[in-house]
Amino acid sequence: MENLEFLSECFMVLKQKKEEGKKVIAFISHDNIPEELIDAAGYIPLRMVFAGNDELMDASHDYLPPSTCAFAQSCIGAFSIKPNNLKFLDLIDYVVISNHCVSDICASEIISKYYNIPQLKFYVSYTKTENSLKYFKLELVDFKRKLEELRGSVIETQDLMNSIVKYNNFKRKLSELSKLTIPGSQKLIHFQRAILKGPDYLPELETFLQSQENAQKNEKGKPILLTGCSIFINDYLNDLIEDGGGNIVFFDTWVGFNYYSQIFSDEQINSSNDPIDLLVERFKNNIFGDHSVPNYLESKISQIEEFSINYKKKFGKKVGVINHIIKFCDHMSIMSSHLKNKLQEKGIQVLNLERDYSRANRGQLTTRIEAFLEMM
Amino acid sequence: MSLVADELIRFSSVLRIAYNFLTGRDYLKRKKFREKKKLISIGLPFSDLVYGFPDLIPVFPIRMHEFKIHKYLTYLGSASNIFGWNRVSNFLGFVKDLGIKDVSQTVDNIIEDVIDTINEKYNEMYDFGEECGIPTDFCYGVKSLYGMNVSKGKNCDANLNYTIRCSAWNKYLESIKAIGNPSKQIWIEIPPRNIGNSLELFKDNIFNGIKELEEISNHSYSDNALRAHFQTANQIHQFYKKIIYDISTSDFYPCNPATYSEILALLNISFHDYNSNATRYRDNISSLMDEMKGRMRKGIGMDVSERPKILITPMFGGWEPKTHDIIYELGGRALYGDWDLLRFLDDIPISNRLDPIEAYAQFLMDVTSEGIGCDNDTLTNSYVRLAKDLQADGLVFVQVFGCHSISNCYRMLKEKLRRELEIPSIALNFNKMGENVEQIKTRLGAFMEMFN
Amino acid sequence: MSKCFIGLDIGSLATKIVLVNEGKLVDYRVERSTFDFKRVGNNLFNEILDKNSLNKNDVFIMSTGYGRNTIDIADDRITEITAHARGVQYFFPEAHSVIDIGGQDSKAILISKKTGNVMDFQMNDKCAAGTGRFLEVMAHALEVPIEEIGSLALNSSNPSAISSTCTVFAESEVISLFARGTSKHDIAAGIHKSIARRVAGMAKRIGVAPQLVFCGGVAKNVAVKKFLEEELGYGIVIPEHPQLTGAIGAALIAQEHNGS
């Protein structure tokens, strides 16, 4: 199914749910947002996982200067222009203001203010000390309370636990995708759609996974580990990589590993009395979230190194790393040279690929990707 | 002969503050090697905790650099140790009044050196930061800080890092370790919002930070020492506020407006670490207050009633220093007040009953909630409040390239200024000092014509 | 002649074609790309075949550069990064790094001493500053032919400081300096220093080191070489045909891949 068709279908589904009385809560911040709480409240969490283009970025310049994250610009532009494939933005009832990064804060505030969408705040601690975890719990409790005010009733503990289990099972299923030896583009489409649609996507995901059980291995191209910023829906980047002779074998990004790896064990779920504490635990264990300081870089390097070693052992090939940096992304760009230097010291080749969503960028990206693949 | 130079001679306290800033390296070397003190690197005005320890010195990293100061300023510094700054300043003024060309030129050079040399060093650090790998899409402030840390960070025993809402800032702090800086990294998280018992948690974070500072210091932490410093800090804040508000809003300045702007800019830069000596800084800033008020009482200075007051903000992340000269030449007077906007000039509540750590937590929570940690709506309210308190006639907003935190809410701000204060504003793009001066002149030319 | 190899480098400003036989440069042509670079490429190809009494079946064509994917006569394609890295080694077998400044982009390439392959690279193709285009705009502003701006700069003893990093603003700055009476020599020197600083900054980020080869059309400018050497702190070398290294590299790689 093409993206356009899929997004139209999402629109219809959302529209129907709204007619049933459900509300849609959108958020830009990728990580640490308790979608289970939103789901338990009977609302629909909607992640902004859409790539931009020239028109969307330009439309944001009424509100933000051009030297802002291209993704944040595109989110604002999406609300400004409401392109045909994103009509469901009209259905949004609330927007979550969260501090994954300061561009996310700004974009969410602008969307809330200028498009008259009420806001819900959910701020996340930057470190992982004991006090930071306590603070995170305060935010969860506050967020829960606000959702309860909106719906006019309490969110029962069991309901929240059920949501957590539902999302947990969904992420487990999603993690099976990464083990398949199929082109990265196929994995990516499912990651993107799953993250957008949530557990409602489970039937389609299971159908696909079943269809791959006896399918022939089909993984051509030079193996690439993608890290940094995610590849969002309607982004051509993966096409460029595959056209150039590469294949992403591991998505070390939020649309990918960083999302589906955040799962609980059965033991954790069964032994927990308070689902809020479970969510705090997950936050604590989320060492790959780029929002946090001060050990994010080290964790990232270790993980990439470990994957490289295991991949080489298993397949006899070296992966190349593409560090995808959306222009003006604070988190990814400042670490880019350190990441590259440290990995190259370990014999892992890295391409820092900085880009925005402009059409003009495409040729430049192609040259860099092809040169990198030629280097490998 | 420069007007500004002429004026600055009359303010011996300005010479002192500038001298202490520029000769920081010698001062810090003495403290570190002779007196065995430890240096703690800070960014933004987060130095207060460090002053709670007698053998720890806070340093804003650029001050560890050698500045190309005129050798005569060094001589002046030495002379001042013997004769006192006031006498030295008077002597300089006397020499200038004599009008002996060569000597007066030398005196001019000394003073102009002070201003330009700080800015040149910032630019040098910016270039160095880029060379060392900081991406080009970061703001001027972070790039130059990065350059400072790569070049001199290893001279410090620790970095005291506070998290704020600016993700570039937080990640820059994280990167200090990655660039191979061996200094200990001490992190204190400021809770993103003041909800529930977050103040308690913050107090605990500060306490943990103090414990880490204790490990570096040879002294234990004492409430009394911190209280004593807070007293000094509050005095600094009060004098600074008086300089900003009492003078800015007056119709008569103790000097020409360009000089006044220059002084405010110097205070802005030196406030980060109080030039590594809070009591000395307090004395200097108190003298400056007295000098200014004294001149105003005697009618020495300039009538500025016809000159519109133009607030330039935010400038602490980087701004074009020639802006205030241009505004002066176009018939205006430029004002700066960033630290008050961000509430760093509030009083830290101190009493014998109140735990000073809790007092500091409360102080920083206020700073965060209306300045460096808040949402854009609240931040723009802070800009508007400052403009209102200064009775500004117009506002120049510095739109720093690559800043996503304090410098990208112009649209919201413009609307509020128009609605609430009915004053015009203009945004000036800034990337690096000295880069677009012609463009700034053109834009300000048009802007200032609105006040004719 | 045994099978020959053609390297066709289609740049945004100039198209270069070389004929290589048994690893030796036999013939070459350079022409402005124009809007219809496909036609230009085809014409050059036919010209070089005619002059060397060859027909299409006698040659293998490797294209590179901006238009490499669009030209239909090519048998294979390779990026200009890989091509330049190989091409400079034709002139300097011990080359460790490359700086290439073309009409609209500049790049720095690190070559592995062991394998001769590309180890790392950095590109500036988003901004005219630090490219040949920057020089063109400034030469126009100073009303000096582009071929003479280099020697004009060399006659300066006090280069002006050009602080703008953007070509458009730098042009304004140049005009402003000239209006204030600054000499053309000093302004020209300031312009060259500015390019050198920018390009050297990009190159240092990937750790370039001697032996560094400077190629591309701008390598013919003596002042850029001089200021680059000052920025880097060591001498750099320029091949006999600095504009052809991409095309030569493409041809040599074609030869190596096709077993000749």
Side-chain angles (χ1 to χ4, degrees), chain A residues 109 126-127 139 290 296 328, chain B residues 137 171 189 193 375-376:
Chain A
E109 285 175 358
Y126 296 101
T127 62
E139 287 279 353
D290 48 278
Y296 162 73
F328 299 106
Chain B
D137 48 358
K171 284 296 168 178
E189 172 156 8
R193 291 198 295 156
D375 52 79
N376 272 350

Side-chain angles (χ1 to χ4, degrees), chain C residues 1-230:
Chain C
M1 257 194 237
S2 51
K3 186 138 185 137
C4 293
F5 296 88
I6 284 187
L8 180 60
D9 180 359
I10 303 165
S12 46
L13 286 190
T15 297
K16 293 76 72 180
I17 193 166
V18 303
L19 177 67
V20 158
N21 180 239
E22 290 175 3
K24 291 266 181 307
L25 178 66
V26 172
D27 198 0
Y28 68 88
R29 293 273 187 288
V30 179
E31 204 172 293
R32 274 193 91 87
S33 294
T34 75
F35 175 70
D36 191 359
F37 59 83
K38 273 175 32 176
R39 181 189 57 77
V40 170
N42 273 294
N43 286 349
L44 287 176
F45 175 61
N46 291 328
E47 261 182 57
I48 215 164
L49 285 182
D50 279 343
K51 196 184 162 217
N52 292 279
S53 309
L54 293 166
N55 60 48
K56 199 180 181 309
N57 296 329
D58 300 326
V59 299
F60 184 97
I61 307 133
M62 180 75 94
S63 66
T64 187
Y66 159 79
R68 68 184 179 279
N69 289 322
T70 329
I71 191 93
D72 39 16
I73 50 171
D75 297 305
D76 201 357
R77 293 139 187 91
I78 199 133
T79 64
E80 53 271 40
I81 286 105
T82 310
H84 276 288
R86 184 64 189 87
V88 302
Q89 290 175 76
Y90 176 78
F91 297 97
F92 302 100
E94 298 299 312
H96 177 51
S97 344
V98 183
I99 286 179
D100 167 53
I101 306 180
Q104 293 191 2
D105 70 7
S106 49
K107 33 186 142 358
I109 306 166
L110 214 55
I111 301 172
S112 164
K113 281 190 167 149
K114 263 199 294 193
T115 62
N117 292 338
V118 174
M119 260 196 339
D120 202 356
F121 65 92
Q122 186 83 9
M123 288 180 77
N124 163 37
D125 50 4
K126 297 177 193 199
C127 171
T131 71
R133 186 83 190 109
F134 185 79
L135 276 175
E136 271 188 8
V137 169
M138 299 306 154
H140 183 259
L142 285 176
E143 293 173 357
V144 158
I146 183 73
E147 305 79 27
E148 291 171 23
I149 197 173
S151 40
L152 186 71
L154 285 182
N155 287 327
S156 162
S157 52
N158 184 24
S160 314
I162 310 278
S163 49
S164 303
T165 46
C166 167
T167 306
V168 173
F169 294 138
E171 190 185 7
S172 305
E173 210 176 331
V174 157
I175 292 168
S176 193
L177 282 167
F178 192 59
R180 274 186 258 148
T182 312
S183 77
K184 278 192 184 182
H185 299 290
D186 292 343
I187 297 174
I191 288 163
H192 285 77
K193 259 186 101 82
S194 175
I195 295 184
R197 194 173 47 236
R198 191 168 173 88
V199 173
M202 174 184 71
K204 281 181 200 172
R205 257 181 253 142
I206 57 162
V208 295
Q211 187 182 53
L212 191 149
V213 183
F214 180 25
C215 60
V218 173
K220 294 186 247 179
N221 182 313
V222 289
V224 174
K225 176 182 187 273
K226 177 196 161 190
F227 288 114
L228 258 180
E229 286 175 333
E230 276 176 24

Side-chain angles (χ1 to χ4, degrees), chain A residues 50-99:
Chain A
F50 314 105
N53 55 41
D54 287 287
E55 289 74 36
L56 296 183
M57 290 193 297
D58 286 344
S60 75
H61 297 161
D62 282 345
Y63 306 100
L64 284 179
S67 64
T68 311
C69 161
F71 173 64
Q73 287 184 48
S74 301
C75 289
I76 295 170
F79 279 87
S80 177
I81 295 180
K82 299 263 173 62
N84 280 334
N85 60 352
L86 297 179
K87 279 222 167 319
F88 48 76
L89 297 182
D90 279 330
L91 304 175
I92 291 170
D93 295 290
Y94 297 92
V95 66
V96 176
I97 315 284
S98 186
N99 61 334

